[in-house]
Structure formats: structure tokens, C-alpha cells
Amino acid sequence: MAGNAGAVQDEEIGYGGNKVQPFASTPRPSKTERGKRDSSALSRILGLDELVSLNVWRASLAEVFGTAVLVFAMDTIVISSYETQTKTPNLIMATLIAITIAILLLATFPISGGHMNPAITLSAMFTGLITASRAAIYILAQCIGAILGALALKAVVKSTIEQTFSLGGCTLKIIAPGPSGPVAIGLETGQALWLEIICTFVFLFSSIWIAFDRRQAIALGRVVFCSIIGLVVGLLVFISTTVTATKGYAGVGMNPARCLGPALVRGGHLWKGHWVFWVGPVVASVAFSLYTKIIPREHLLGAESK
């Protein structure tokens, strides 16, 4: 048991901490040594060598195709859930989205980590799990994939459905006929921004952290934690669309790339307030990374060694 506890401690140190030597026995580094350390740390953070790494670019293909399928499937689910005129479209939509997310995570996780979302990629970068270069490549791949997914959906749906449901994209407001002419209906920008921040943070806090923490991921198993992530996304989609109950608001995006694809392909009112679907997740990612820096890793170690 003592050997196991030591192994866990070393793994934790490698994950995000540093071995601390007693103050008296630690020599003060020279300016040259400090400069080399700073340069080495910056090099690790940026990871410029990954910009020309064939393996990283090959892994990014999983992000391209995974995000493309994600956008195509999710937007199709959004359209079909409301097109069928069921009494509980929100519940059906949330359930199908949860299943889709879980399946796509299982397909892409072994290759690229299964991000398919700039918010997850930024969180991984801010917490030091991936370099800035890999994050840039992944986000580019996700945006390209989202555009491809939206183009594929546009190619198979009728123009009337595309216009009626905004290609299943992220909308704050839509233009609807009113008694005195067309009127804009939907959610206020401030409310939508707070929903993006809160829901994305809850998403990262309650599910993505399981994948980021190697110990939890191994303990639960890939199928379980991918299912948990899918379930959390489905719940948040259901909550955001049910609590607001506002026609014209498509619910939280929690994925800037997924919102970008339909906006570029469909255009028009999808660009109105589009920044909300980027700023909200970015703010949530920064807040989540700060949380991961604050939580006591010693407490987690104690729980592991018991």
C-alpha cells in the first residue's frame, strides 16, 4: 500500500505540481539559470514544434470530422425536434443530443482527446494540458469541421426548413410576423451572455474535469465518463431552453464552433449577437482554469491514498 501511495503522489506531481525542496538546501539559481528556465517554460507553453508536427495535424483530422458530424447531427436534431410538433421537443432534443455527444466522444477521444469544442480546447490550454500551438490547430480544425457540417446540412434540407429553423444554428432573436408588421422576438443579449457563461462553466466543472483528471478518467472508464459528459450537455440544453421558454432563442451554444458553422453558411440574423456564443464560453473557460489552480491537490491525494 505504501508503494501505491508513492506512485499516486508522483503522478500528481507530474500532472500539475512541482517537487518542493527544503529552503535551506535549495541553492539560489543564477540569472542565467533563471533565464534558461523561463525560456524553457515559455517553450513548453507555446509548443511551437507542434506547429510542424505531423502527428498533431493528423490528430486534428479527428477534430475536423468529429465537429462536422457534431454540427450536422445537432442541427438536424434541433430541426427535427420542433418539426415533428411533439409536446416535449426540448426533452427529445436534449436526450438525442446527449446520446450523440457520448458516441462522438468515444469515437474521437483516443485520437485527439475528443474536444470538438473551442471551450474545451481553451480550458485544456489554460490548465496546461496542451500547448498553445496545439490549441490553435484544434480550434482551426473545429471551425473548419463546423462549416463542413453546416454545408452538409444545407445540402440535404429544403430551403423552407433552412429559413424556418435558421439551419439549426445559435440564435438570440428571430424576425416573426406581428400584428403591426415583422417584430424581433427572442432573448436579451445580457441574459444570453450570462446563460452562456454559467452553463459552459457548469459543463466544464461537472463533466470535463473528469476527463482532464487522469485518475478519475481511469477509475470510471472511457464509456462512463463520455456518457456523463453527454448527459450533462443534454441536461444543460434542456434547462436553458425550458427556463427561458422564449421563442426565437435556440438555447445555450456552449460551443463557439458549432455556432460559427451555421452562421457562416446561413448568415443573416444568425450574426446578430453571435459574439455572445464566443465571449461566454471563453469567460467560462478562464474561470474554470482559475478554479483548477485553486483547488487543493493534497486533498485529492489524501482521498486517493485511503
Side-chain angles (χ1 to χ4, degrees):
M1 290 298 290
N4 291 337
V8 171
Q9 184 173 2
D10 288 340
E11 181 182 353
E12 177 64 20
I13 291 169
Y15 180 76
N18 295 307
K19 284 189 175 181
V20 180
Q21 300 293 336
F23 179 79
S25 63
T26 304
R28 179 175 295 179
S30 65
K31 290 183 178 180
T32 303
E33 290 175 339
R34 287 200 298 268
K36 288 181 178 179
R37 290 180 182 177
D38 292 343
S39 176
S40 178
L42 181 61
S43 177
R44 286 197 302 271
I45 293 172
L46 295 178
L48 296 178
D49 57 313
E50 291 194 325
L51 289 175
V52 293
S53 171
L54 182 59
N55 286 335
V56 174
W57 285 100
R58 289 170 65 184
S60 70
L61 288 176
E63 293 295 305
V64 172
F65 293 118
T67 309
V69 175
L70 175 68
V71 169
F72 181 85
M74 288 189 66
D75 292 356
T76 302
I77 289 169
V78 171
I79 292 172
S80 59
S81 296
Y82 289 102
E83 178 71 4
T84 52
Q85 298 181 350
T86 178
K87 294 182 179 179
T88 56
N90 295 0
L91 180 60
I92 294 175
M93 179 173 63
T95 303
L96 293 176
I97 287 175
I99 296 171
T100 301
I101 293 290
I103 293 172
L104 290 176
L105 280 173
L106 287 170
T108 58
F109 183 82
I111 305 170
S112 65
H115 292 192
M116 298 179 294
N117 186 339
I120 297 176
T121 301
L122 287 175
S123 298
M125 182 187 72
F126 290 147
T127 53
L129 296 180
I130 63 173
T131 66
S133 296
R134 184 182 289 260
I137 293 171
Y138 275 16
I139 291 175
L140 174 63
Q142 291 154 7
C143 291
I144 292 173
I147 296 170
L148 293 176
L151 286 171
L153 182 60
K154 180 181 175 65
V156 299
V157 299
K158 296 179 181 178
S159 58
T160 53
I161 293 180
E162 176 190 340
Q163 294 173 5
T164 303
F165 297 99
S166 304
L167 205 64
C170 304
T171 58
L172 296 183
K173 295 181 180 181
I174 61 172
I175 305 300
S180 303
V183 294
I185 57 174
L187 199 65
E188 295 298 324
T189 303
Q191 291 176 282
L193 179 60
W194 276 112
L195 273 172
E196 285 295 320
I197 295 173
I198 294 171
C199 289
T200 305
F201 180 83
V202 171
F203 165 55
L204 296 169
F205 168 78
S206 59
S207 60
I208 296 302
W209 179 242
I210 297 174
F212 282 1
D213 190 334
R214 186 177 301 173
R215 294 160 306 177
Q216 293 192 72
I218 293 175
L220 292 173
R222 187 180 301 167
V223 174
V224 174
F225 79 72
C226 287
S227 300
I228 291 174
I229 293 173
L231 177 62
V232 171
V233 172
L235 284 173
L236 290 173
V237 169
F238 177 76
I239 290 170
S240 67
T241 53
T242 304
V243 170
T244 57
T246 302
K247 188 176 181 180
Y249 174 58
V252 288
M254 296 185 295
N255 186 334
R258 183 250 158 182
C259 297
L260 177 66
L264 282 172
V265 174
R266 176 71 175 86
H269 65 281
L270 285 177
W271 286 115
K272 294 181 180 179
H274 178 75
W275 62 270
V276 168
F277 300 106
W278 281 89
V279 173
V282 170
V283 171
S285 298
V286 173
F288 173 72
S289 65
L290 292 175
Y291 161 76
T292 63
K293 303 297 182 184
I294 294 172
I295 58 173
R297 297 188 183 279
E298 292 80 3
H299 173 72
L300 297 176
L301 281 172
E304 280 280 342
S305 60
K306 287 181 181 179

